Amino acid sequence: MLKTLITRARQGQRTMAYPDAAPPSMPAHFRGVPKLDPTRCPDGCRDCADACPTEAIRVVDKAMAIDLGRCIFCPECESACPQGAITFTTDYRLAASRRDDLVVAADAVLKLAGALDEKLRRLFGRSLKLRVVSAGDCNACAADVNVLSTIGWDIGRFGIQYVASPRHADGLIVMGPVTQNMRLALTKTYDAISDPKIVIAVGACAISGGIYAGHPEQSGGAASLVPVDLFIPGCPPHPLTILDGMLRLLGRIEEGTR
C-alpha cells in the first residue's frame, strides 16, 4: 500500500487543465478544420469532390464548399488535388449549434457552437446528466465519448456525467446513423427524459448518416427523429473536439472564441 501511495504522489496531477490552460497538443496526423483555397483550382476540376467517399464536397461554378457534417476527415480529397486547394489543419474546434453552420465555403469562418439560453444554462450549467445512445455506431465515437470520463479528461469536474437511465438524464448523446432497429429505441429514450432536454449528435454518422448515408437501413442521423442542439463532426471526433463542443454549449467557453 505504501508503494502505491508513493507512486501516486510522484505522478502528480493527471487531469488536464483545459479550458483554464492551453489544450493538449494535437498529433501531427490529426485532421481538423479544413482550409479551402479555390485560387489553387481555377479550373474547378472537381477531382476532390469525385474522390470524396461521402459526397461532402461541392464544386459549383468553381466555388468550393465542404459539409463537415458529412466529412469523415479522410485524406482522399487532399490527396486527389495536386494543387493543394484543400488542406486539413489541426484545429480541433468543430462543434456547431446548427446543421447549416457545418457547411463551410472558401474563406468562410466556421461558426462555432453557441451557449444555451440563460434558463437552460441555469438548469444544466453546473450539472448535466446525459444518457448515451449507441444507434448503430461502430464504437469509435463511443470510445472517444467514454474516454472523457477517465482521469485525464474528467468531465465530471464540469458537472457532466453519463447516466444509465433516461429517467435520470437531462439529455442525450447520440452516436451512429440511427439504424432501423434503433429508431424506436431512440425515440422512446428521448420521450422518457423530462423537459427541458438537449440532444448532442456525435460523429458524422449521427449528423448525416456518414458513410452509410442513403442506405435504406439507416435514418440519416439523429436529427431525422429528434431535435439536435449540438452537432460534433468527425469520424470519430477527437475527445477534445467533443469536450470543446460541450463546454461551448454550457457557456464555459465564450461563443466565437477560436
Short mmCIF file of all heavy atoms in Angstrom, two decimals, residues 192-240:
data_model
loop_
_atom_site.label_atom_id
_atom_site.label_comp_id
_atom_site.label_asym_id
_atom_site.label_seq_id
_atom_site.Cartn_x
_atom_site.Cartn_y
_atom_site.Cartn_z
N ALA A 192 -38.60 9.59 -22.76
CA ALA A 192 -38.52 9.27 -21.33
C ALA A 192 -37.81 10.35 -20.52
O ALA A 192 -37.89 10.35 -19.29
CB ALA A 192 -37.82 7.93 -21.13
N ILE A 193 -37.11 11.24 -21.19
CA ILE A 193 -36.40 12.32 -20.50
C ILE A 193 -37.35 13.49 -20.27
O ILE A 193 -38.06 13.92 -21.18
CB ILE A 193 -35.18 12.78 -21.32
CG1 ILE A 193 -34.22 11.61 -21.54
CG2 ILE A 193 -34.45 13.93 -20.62
CD1 ILE A 193 -33.06 11.94 -22.45
N SER A 194 -37.35 14.01 -19.08
CA SER A 194 -38.23 15.13 -18.75
C SER A 194 -37.80 16.39 -19.48
O SER A 194 -36.61 16.62 -19.71
CB SER A 194 -38.22 15.39 -17.24
OG SER A 194 -38.66 14.25 -16.52
N ASP A 195 -38.77 17.23 -19.82
CA ASP A 195 -38.48 18.54 -20.40
C ASP A 195 -37.99 19.49 -19.32
O ASP A 195 -38.42 19.38 -18.17
CB ASP A 195 -39.72 19.10 -21.07
CG ASP A 195 -40.12 18.32 -22.32
OD1 ASP A 195 -39.21 17.84 -23.02
OD2 ASP A 195 -41.33 18.18 -22.57
N PRO A 196 -37.14 20.44 -19.67
CA PRO A 196 -36.45 20.62 -20.95
C PRO A 196 -35.29 19.64 -21.08
O PRO A 196 -34.76 19.15 -20.09
CB PRO A 196 -35.96 22.06 -20.89
CG PRO A 196 -35.70 22.29 -19.44
CD PRO A 196 -36.78 21.52 -18.71
N LYS A 197 -34.89 19.34 -22.31
CA LYS A 197 -33.83 18.38 -22.55
C LYS A 197 -33.04 18.79 -23.78
O LYS A 197 -33.52 19.58 -24.60
CB LYS A 197 -34.41 16.98 -22.73
CG LYS A 197 -35.55 16.91 -23.74
CD LYS A 197 -36.33 15.62 -23.59
CE LYS A 197 -37.63 15.65 -24.37
NZ LYS A 197 -38.48 14.48 -24.10
N ILE A 198 -31.85 18.25 -23.89
CA ILE A 198 -30.98 18.58 -25.01
C ILE A 198 -30.51 17.30 -25.68
O ILE A 198 -30.54 16.22 -25.08
CB ILE A 198 -29.76 19.42 -24.58
CG1 ILE A 198 -28.89 18.63 -23.60
CG2 ILE A 198 -30.19 20.73 -23.97
CD1 ILE A 198 -27.60 19.33 -23.23
N VAL A 199 -30.09 17.43 -26.94
CA VAL A 199 -29.58 16.30 -27.70
C VAL A 199 -28.26 16.71 -28.35
O VAL A 199 -28.16 17.78 -28.95
CB VAL A 199 -30.57 15.84 -28.79
CG1 VAL A 199 -29.96 14.71 -29.62
CG2 VAL A 199 -31.88 15.38 -28.16
N ILE A 200 -27.25 15.84 -28.22
CA ILE A 200 -25.94 16.06 -28.82
C ILE A 200 -25.68 14.94 -29.81
O ILE A 200 -25.70 13.77 -29.44
CB ILE A 200 -24.84 16.09 -27.74
CG1 ILE A 200 -25.14 17.19 -26.70
CG2 ILE A 200 -23.47 16.29 -28.37
CD1 ILE A 200 -24.20 17.16 -25.51
N ALA A 201 -25.45 15.29 -31.07
CA ALA A 201 -25.13 14.31 -32.10
C ALA A 201 -23.61 14.26 -32.27
O ALA A 201 -22.99 15.28 -32.62
CB ALA A 201 -25.79 14.67 -33.42
N VAL A 202 -23.02 13.10 -32.01
CA VAL A 202 -21.57 12.95 -32.05
C VAL A 202 -21.16 12.10 -33.25
O VAL A 202 -21.57 10.93 -33.36
CB VAL A 202 -21.05 12.31 -30.74
CG1 VAL A 202 -19.55 12.03 -30.85
CG2 VAL A 202 -21.33 13.23 -29.56
N GLY A 203 -20.38 12.68 -34.14
CA GLY A 203 -19.84 11.94 -35.26
C GLY A 203 -20.65 12.13 -36.54
O GLY A 203 -21.83 12.49 -36.51
N ALA A 204 -19.99 11.87 -37.67
CA ALA A 204 -20.61 12.05 -38.97
C ALA A 204 -21.86 11.20 -39.14
O ALA A 204 -22.85 11.63 -39.74
CB ALA A 204 -19.60 11.73 -40.08
N CYS A 205 -21.83 9.97 -38.60
CA CYS A 205 -22.99 9.10 -38.76
C CYS A 205 -24.21 9.68 -38.07
O CYS A 205 -25.32 9.67 -38.61
CB CYS A 205 -22.68 7.71 -38.19
SG CYS A 205 -21.54 6.75 -39.20
N ALA A 206 -24.03 10.21 -36.85
CA ALA A 206 -25.16 10.77 -36.10
C ALA A 206 -25.63 12.09 -36.67
O ALA A 206 -26.76 12.51 -36.40
CB ALA A 206 -24.76 10.96 -34.63
N ILE A 207 -24.80 12.74 -37.48
CA ILE A 207 -25.18 14.02 -38.08
C ILE A 207 -25.85 13.83 -39.43
O ILE A 207 -26.89 14.44 -39.71
CB ILE A 207 -23.95 14.93 -38.22
CG1 ILE A 207 -23.38 15.28 -36.84
CG2 ILE A 207 -24.31 16.21 -38.98
CD1 ILE A 207 -22.08 16.05 -36.88
N SER A 208 -25.29 12.96 -40.26
CA SER A 208 -25.78 12.85 -41.65
C SER A 208 -25.97 11.42 -42.14
O SER A 208 -26.47 11.22 -43.24
CB SER A 208 -24.80 13.55 -42.58
OG SER A 208 -23.55 12.87 -42.60
N GLY A 209 -25.56 10.45 -41.35
CA GLY A 209 -25.52 9.08 -41.83
C GLY A 209 -24.11 8.64 -42.18
O GLY A 209 -23.86 7.45 -42.34
N GLY A 210 -23.20 9.63 -42.32
CA GLY A 210 -21.80 9.31 -42.57
C GLY A 210 -21.59 8.43 -43.79
O GLY A 210 -22.19 8.64 -44.85
N ILE A 211 -20.79 7.40 -43.64
CA ILE A 211 -20.52 6.51 -44.77
C ILE A 211 -21.72 5.64 -45.13
O ILE A 211 -21.74 4.98 -46.17
CB ILE A 211 -19.30 5.61 -44.49
CG1 ILE A 211 -19.55 4.73 -43.27
CG2 ILE A 211 -18.05 6.45 -44.31
CD1 ILE A 211 -18.45 3.70 -43.02
N TYR A 212 -22.74 5.65 -44.25
CA TYR A 212 -23.95 4.85 -44.51
C TYR A 212 -25.07 5.70 -45.11
O TYR A 212 -26.18 5.18 -45.32
CB TYR A 212 -24.44 4.21 -43.22
CG TYR A 212 -23.37 3.41 -42.52
CD1 TYR A 212 -22.76 3.91 -41.37
CD2 TYR A 212 -22.95 2.18 -43.00
CE1 TYR A 212 -21.76 3.20 -40.72
CE2 TYR A 212 -21.96 1.46 -42.35
CZ TYR A 212 -21.38 1.97 -41.21
OH TYR A 212 -20.39 1.26 -40.58
N ALA A 213 -24.82 6.97 -45.36
CA ALA A 213 -25.87 7.86 -45.87
C ALA A 213 -26.49 7.29 -47.14
O ALA A 213 -25.79 6.84 -48.05
CB ALA A 213 -25.29 9.24 -46.16
N GLY A 214 -27.81 7.29 -47.18
CA GLY A 214 -28.53 6.77 -48.33
C GLY A 214 -28.90 5.31 -48.25
O GLY A 214 -29.71 4.82 -49.04
N HIS A 215 -28.32 4.60 -47.29
CA HIS A 215 -28.65 3.18 -47.14
C HIS A 215 -30.05 3.05 -46.54
O HIS A 215 -30.42 3.77 -45.61
CB HIS A 215 -27.63 2.49 -46.24
CG HIS A 215 -27.69 0.99 -46.30
ND1 HIS A 215 -28.68 0.27 -45.67
CD2 HIS A 215 -26.89 0.09 -46.91
CE1 HIS A 215 -28.49 -1.02 -45.90
NE2 HIS A 215 -27.41 -1.16 -46.65
N PRO A 216 -30.87 2.15 -47.05
CA PRO A 216 -32.26 2.05 -46.59
C PRO A 216 -32.40 1.59 -45.13
O PRO A 216 -33.47 1.77 -44.55
CB PRO A 216 -32.88 1.02 -47.55
CG PRO A 216 -31.73 0.23 -48.08
CD PRO A 216 -30.61 1.20 -48.16
N GLU A 217 -31.36 1.01 -44.56
CA GLU A 217 -31.47 0.51 -43.19
C GLU A 217 -31.03 1.52 -42.15
O GLU A 217 -30.92 1.19 -40.96
CB GLU A 217 -30.64 -0.77 -43.03
CG GLU A 217 -31.19 -1.96 -43.80
CD GLU A 217 -32.61 -2.32 -43.37
OE1 GLU A 217 -32.89 -2.30 -42.15
OE2 GLU A 217 -33.43 -2.62 -44.25
N GLN A 218 -30.79 2.76 -42.56
CA GLN A 218 -30.42 3.80 -41.59
C GLN A 218 -31.25 5.04 -41.84
O GLN A 218 -31.87 5.20 -42.89
CB GLN A 218 -28.93 4.10 -41.65
CG GLN A 218 -28.42 4.55 -43.00
CD GLN A 218 -28.58 6.04 -43.24
OE1 GLN A 218 -28.27 6.84 -42.37
NE2 GLN A 218 -29.07 6.40 -44.43
N SER A 219 -31.26 5.95 -40.84
CA SER A 219 -32.19 7.08 -40.88
C SER A 219 -31.54 8.41 -41.23
O SER A 219 -32.20 9.43 -41.22
CB SER A 219 -32.89 7.20 -39.52
OG SER A 219 -33.53 5.99 -39.17
N GLY A 220 -30.23 8.41 -41.46
CA GLY A 220 -29.57 9.67 -41.82
C GLY A 220 -29.22 10.53 -40.64
O GLY A 220 -29.05 11.74 -40.77
N GLY A 221 -29.10 9.93 -39.47
CA GLY A 221 -28.68 10.69 -38.30
C GLY A 221 -29.79 10.98 -37.32
O GLY A 221 -30.97 10.73 -37.56
N ALA A 222 -29.40 11.54 -36.18
CA ALA A 222 -30.33 11.76 -35.07
C ALA A 222 -31.40 12.79 -35.38
O ALA A 222 -32.54 12.66 -34.94
CB ALA A 222 -29.54 12.19 -33.83
N ALA A 223 -31.05 13.83 -36.15
CA ALA A 223 -32.00 14.91 -36.40
C ALA A 223 -33.21 14.47 -37.21
O ALA A 223 -34.21 15.19 -37.27
CB ALA A 223 -31.30 16.07 -37.11
N SER A 224 -33.15 13.29 -37.80
CA SER A 224 -34.31 12.79 -38.53
C SER A 224 -35.43 12.38 -37.58
O SER A 224 -36.58 12.23 -38.01
CB SER A 224 -33.91 11.59 -39.39
OG SER A 224 -33.46 10.50 -38.59
N LEU A 225 -35.10 12.19 -36.30
CA LEU A 225 -36.09 11.73 -35.33
C LEU A 225 -36.25 12.64 -34.13
O LEU A 225 -37.35 12.73 -33.56
CB LEU A 225 -35.72 10.32 -34.84
CG LEU A 225 -35.73 9.21 -35.88
CD1 LEU A 225 -35.20 7.92 -35.26
CD2 LEU A 225 -37.14 8.98 -36.41
N VAL A 226 -35.19 13.29 -33.72
CA VAL A 226 -35.25 14.14 -32.52
C VAL A 226 -34.55 15.46 -32.81
O VAL A 226 -33.65 15.52 -33.64
CB VAL A 226 -34.59 13.45 -31.30
CG1 VAL A 226 -35.36 12.20 -30.92
CG2 VAL A 226 -33.13 13.12 -31.58
N PRO A 227 -34.94 16.55 -32.12
CA PRO A 227 -34.26 17.83 -32.34
C PRO A 227 -32.86 17.80 -31.74
O PRO A 227 -32.67 17.32 -30.63
CB PRO A 227 -35.16 18.83 -31.61
CG PRO A 227 -35.88 18.02 -30.57
CD PRO A 227 -36.07 16.66 -31.17
N VAL A 228 -31.88 18.30 -32.48
CA VAL A 228 -30.49 18.26 -32.05
C VAL A 228 -30.02 19.67 -31.69
O VAL A 228 -30.25 20.63 -32.44
CB VAL A 228 -29.58 17.66 -33.15
CG1 VAL A 228 -28.11 17.74 -32.73
CG2 VAL A 228 -29.99 16.21 -33.42
N ASP A 229 -29.36 19.80 -30.55
CA ASP A 229 -28.88 21.09 -30.06
C ASP A 229 -27.39 21.31 -30.31
O ASP A 229 -26.92 22.45 -30.28
CB ASP A 229 -29.15 21.21 -28.56
CG ASP A 229 -30.62 21.06 -28.23
OD1 ASP A 229 -31.35 22.06 -28.36
OD2 ASP A 229 -31.04 19.95 -27.84
N LEU A 230 -26.65 20.23 -30.53
CA LEU A 230 -25.21 20.36 -30.73
C LEU A 230 -24.75 19.29 -31.70
O LEU A 230 -25.02 18.10 -31.50
CB LEU A 230 -24.47 20.22 -29.40
CG LEU A 230 -22.94 20.36 -29.44
CD1 LEU A 230 -22.55 21.78 -29.85
CD2 LEU A 230 -22.33 20.01 -28.08
N PHE A 231 -24.06 19.72 -32.76
CA PHE A 231 -23.52 18.81 -33.77
C PHE A 231 -22.00 18.79 -33.62
O PHE A 231 -21.35 19.84 -33.71
CB PHE A 231 -23.89 19.28 -35.17
CG PHE A 231 -25.37 19.32 -35.44
CD1 PHE A 231 -26.12 20.46 -35.16
CD2 PHE A 231 -26.02 18.21 -35.98
CE1 PHE A 231 -27.48 20.50 -35.41
CE2 PHE A 231 -27.39 18.25 -36.24
CZ PHE A 231 -28.12 19.39 -35.95
N ILE A 232 -21.43 17.60 -33.40
CA ILE A 232 -19.99 17.46 -33.23
C ILE A 232 -19.46 16.56 -34.34
O ILE A 232 -19.56 15.33 -34.27
CB ILE A 232 -19.63 16.88 -31.85
CG1 ILE A 232 -20.28 17.73 -30.74
CG2 ILE A 232 -18.12 16.82 -31.67
CD1 ILE A 232 -20.01 17.21 -29.34
N PRO A 233 -18.89 17.15 -35.40
CA PRO A 233 -18.44 16.34 -36.55
C PRO A 233 -17.15 15.59 -36.27
O PRO A 233 -16.39 15.90 -35.35
CB PRO A 233 -18.26 17.38 -37.65
CG PRO A 233 -17.98 18.65 -36.93
CD PRO A 233 -18.73 18.58 -35.64
N GLY A 234 -16.89 14.59 -37.11
CA GLY A 234 -15.68 13.78 -37.00
C GLY A 234 -16.00 12.33 -37.25
O GLY A 234 -17.16 11.92 -37.25
N CYS A 235 -14.97 11.53 -37.48
CA CYS A 235 -15.17 10.09 -37.72
C CYS A 235 -13.97 9.31 -37.20
O CYS A 235 -13.16 8.81 -37.98
CB CYS A 235 -15.38 9.84 -39.21
SG CYS A 235 -15.85 8.13 -39.61
N PRO A 236 -13.87 9.18 -35.86
CA PRO A 236 -14.72 9.82 -34.85
C PRO A 236 -14.17 11.19 -34.48
O PRO A 236 -13.01 11.50 -34.78
CB PRO A 236 -14.59 8.85 -33.67
CG PRO A 236 -13.17 8.36 -33.77
CD PRO A 236 -12.88 8.25 -35.25
N PRO A 237 -14.95 12.01 -33.78
CA PRO A 237 -14.40 13.26 -33.26
C PRO A 237 -13.34 12.98 -32.20
O PRO A 237 -13.46 12.01 -31.44
CB PRO A 237 -15.62 13.96 -32.64
CG PRO A 237 -16.82 13.23 -33.16
CD PRO A 237 -16.37 11.84 -33.45
N HIS A 238 -12.34 13.81 -32.16
CA HIS A 238 -11.34 13.71 -31.09
C HIS A 238 -12.01 14.04 -29.76
O HIS A 238 -12.94 14.85 -29.72
CB HIS A 238 -10.20 14.69 -31.37
CG HIS A 238 -9.00 14.48 -30.51
ND1 HIS A 238 -8.92 14.98 -29.23
CD2 HIS A 238 -7.83 13.84 -30.73
CE1 HIS A 238 -7.75 14.66 -28.70
NE2 HIS A 238 -7.07 13.96 -29.59
N PRO A 239 -11.60 13.42 -28.66
CA PRO A 239 -12.20 13.76 -27.35
C PRO A 239 -12.18 15.26 -27.06
O PRO A 239 -13.11 15.79 -26.46
CB PRO A 239 -11.34 12.98 -26.36
CG PRO A 239 -10.83 11.81 -27.13
CD PRO A 239 -10.63 12.31 -28.53
N LEU A 240 -11.11 15.95 -27.50
CA LEU A 240 -11.03 17.39 -27.26
C LEU A 240 -12.09 18.13 -28.06
O LEU A 240 -12.63 19.15 -27.59
CB LEU A 240 -9.63 17.90 -27.63
CG LEU A 240 -9.31 19.34 -27.25
CD1 LEU A 240 -9.52 19.59 -25.76
CD2 LEU A 240 -7.89 19.70 -27.66
#
